[in-house]
Amino acid sequence: MKVLYTAEATVHGGRDGQAQSSDGHLAVKLSVPKEMGGPGGEGTNPEQLFAAGYAACFQSALMLTARRQKVDASASTVTAKAGIGPVGEGAFGLEVELHVFIPDVDQETGEKLVELAHQVCPYSNATRGNIPVRLYFEEQPLAIA
């Protein structure tokens, strides 16, 4: 593989710390969610960052594959849900759900585009065979809480 871009970020303090990209464009406070025994609060967490990255990457792959199929997916939305939980003997694992909405696209076409995007997306390729990833084509966008 010829690397086109390398992202770099440094974290101090783990899940209760801070993360910053080398170019300074990303600077976030991290905090452990209440559901994991932490205080929750103002900070984000690695699962939210992973979900955001996966959703953004997947939507780009979706728009690419839709364009190849002569379908307009520019108004699409992708919601990623990244779950974390114990997998035994002190280890933790991840799982992902991707919920995709494309206005004015029928179920069959939408499901085909989602599967094609799943074959192209770098996050999907990185996670394939490593963690469960479930794909859903939605008739309406998911509400953001």
Side-chain angles (χ1 to χ4, degrees):
M1 176 178 91
K2 179 184 175 191
V3 175
L4 300 175
Y5 170 75
T6 299
E8 181 181 338
T10 301
V11 171
H12 297 281
R15 286 181 170 272
D16 274 321
Q18 302 226 347
Q20 184 167 348
S21 62
S22 59
D23 63 6
H25 292 295
L26 175 72
V28 294
K29 180 179 177 355
L30 302 171
S31 64
V32 178
K34 287 181 182 179
E35 298 84 350
M36 292 179 64
E42 298 175 18
T44 188
N45 59 66
E47 291 70 38
Q48 288 177 335
L49 295 168
F50 183 74
Y54 202 156
C57 190
F58 195 88
Q59 187 176 25
S60 291
L62 176 71
M63 290 190 295
L64 172 70
T65 57
R67 230 179 0 263
R68 291 176 178 168
Q69 300 292 314
K70 311 266 190 277
V71 175
D72 180 11
S74 59
S76 63
T77 59
V78 176
T79 301
K81 298 181 178 186
I84 184 171
V87 293
E89 298 189 34
F92 287 82
L94 298 173
E95 67 176 27
V96 173
E97 291 182 5
L98 295 172
H99 297 264
V100 178
F101 169 70
I102 310 170
D104 303 319
V105 170
D106 63 85
Q107 190 76 29
E108 182 180 343
T109 302
E111 288 175 358
K112 177 182 176 186
L113 291 172
V114 167
E115 187 52 45
L116 288 170
H118 191 47
Q119 298 307 311
V120 171
C121 176
Y123 276 68
S124 292
N125 289 329
T127 59
R128 189 170 289 109
N130 296 312
I131 66 170
V133 176
R134 290 181 294 285
L135 306 171
Y136 300 96
F137 179 75
E138 306 288 348
E139 294 184 16
Q140 296 183 2
L142 293 185
I144 297 176

